[in-house]
Amino acid sequence: MDIRELDRRALATLGAVIAQIGPDQLRLPTPCADWTLHGLLRHQVSENLGFVAAASGVTGDLRAWDQGNLGGDPYQAYLDSADAMTRAFAEDVLDHSLQIREFGFFPGRVALGMHVLDCVVHGWDVAQTIGVAYDPGADLVRYSLKVASQIPTGAPSNDRARTPFAPAVEISAGSPALERLLGLVGRRPAAS
């Protein structure tokens, strides 16, 4: 499996949902606590650019993860950041050690897996917010479920100041893979 191809598809899937956002929807609340749709899009653009900075060797500067600017066209801002992300990881960085936010250093391949997960989950968040169908594809969900199962869950603790997602919620083991994935990252699908 080529992780770069999975990431390109995750970016494209998220982009297809973002393309459906109307300008009057940017202030809607999302499944991400405390974020409007505008805030979530800004977060995703910032994350894309943060991964680009990490791939280019930036360490120790958390401001690199907060550079997203949506300007007057949030969709174009997303497309530009997604293109930069794809170009950054086209280089030979999969085996390099990259600093991912305050979470630490990871091999580029692992970091890219984290990015796939982020795109798949936030694609669902956007789709839920604007009320459109969302189907990232079974292989992207399967891969993201594998990544999510390796990420610490629960509330922050003395040894872990921040977790990447909300605390996990209970989802039936017999639920579809996407619902189980969403539960691991603190989302409660309506069907569960």
Side-chain angles (χ1 to χ4, degrees):
M1 163 182 16
D2 183 352
I3 184 66
R4 287 178 288 211
E5 179 57 27
L6 279 178
D7 192 66
R8 284 188 292 271
R9 288 186 33 236
L11 283 162
T13 301
L14 175 55
V17 178
I18 292 172
Q20 298 176 64
I21 296 172
D24 59 329
Q25 296 174 311
L26 291 172
R27 297 290 170 216
L28 293 174
T30 70
C32 295
D34 302 324
W35 273 348
T36 63
L37 190 52
H38 182 276
L40 177 59
L41 294 179
R42 185 183 179 288
H43 162 75
Q44 191 60 52
V45 168
S46 293
E47 289 293 289
N48 289 348
L49 297 176
F51 276 94
V52 169
S56 69
V58 172
T59 62
D61 184 2
L62 291 180
R63 292 173 300 170
W65 294 87
D66 192 30
Q67 300 299 312
N69 181 350
L70 300 182
D73 188 345
Y75 179 56
Q76 189 61 52
Y78 172 77
L79 291 177
D80 292 345
S81 70
D83 181 57
M85 175 72 193
T86 299
R87 282 185 280 116
F89 278 83
E91 302 299 319
D92 187 21
V93 298
L94 294 183
D95 295 320
H96 296 179
S97 181
L98 309 181
Q99 184 179 6
I100 304 304
R101 301 190 60 94
E102 64 274 19
F103 303 123
F105 287 83
F106 301 89
R109 184 175 310 283
V110 172
L112 200 53
M114 295 161 75
H115 186 261
V116 169
L117 170 63
D118 208 40
C119 288
V120 170
V121 170
H122 289 319
W124 182 84
D125 291 333
V126 173
Q128 288 296 296
T129 301
I130 64 173
V132 298
Y134 181 62
D135 180 10
D139 58 340
L140 280 174
V141 171
R142 238 185 343 267
Y143 183 81
S144 296
L145 186 55
K146 179 180 161 188
V147 173
S149 69
Q150 298 172 27
I151 293 176
T153 61
S157 63
N158 290 339
D159 64 329
R160 196 174 67 247
R162 183 169 176 255
T163 56
F165 292 103
V169 297
E170 185 81 26
I171 302 292
S172 167
S175 295
L178 180 58
E179 291 182 18
R180 293 193 319 271
L181 166 64
L182 294 168
L184 281 174
V185 297
R187 273 57 169 186
R188 188 174 302 282
S192 293

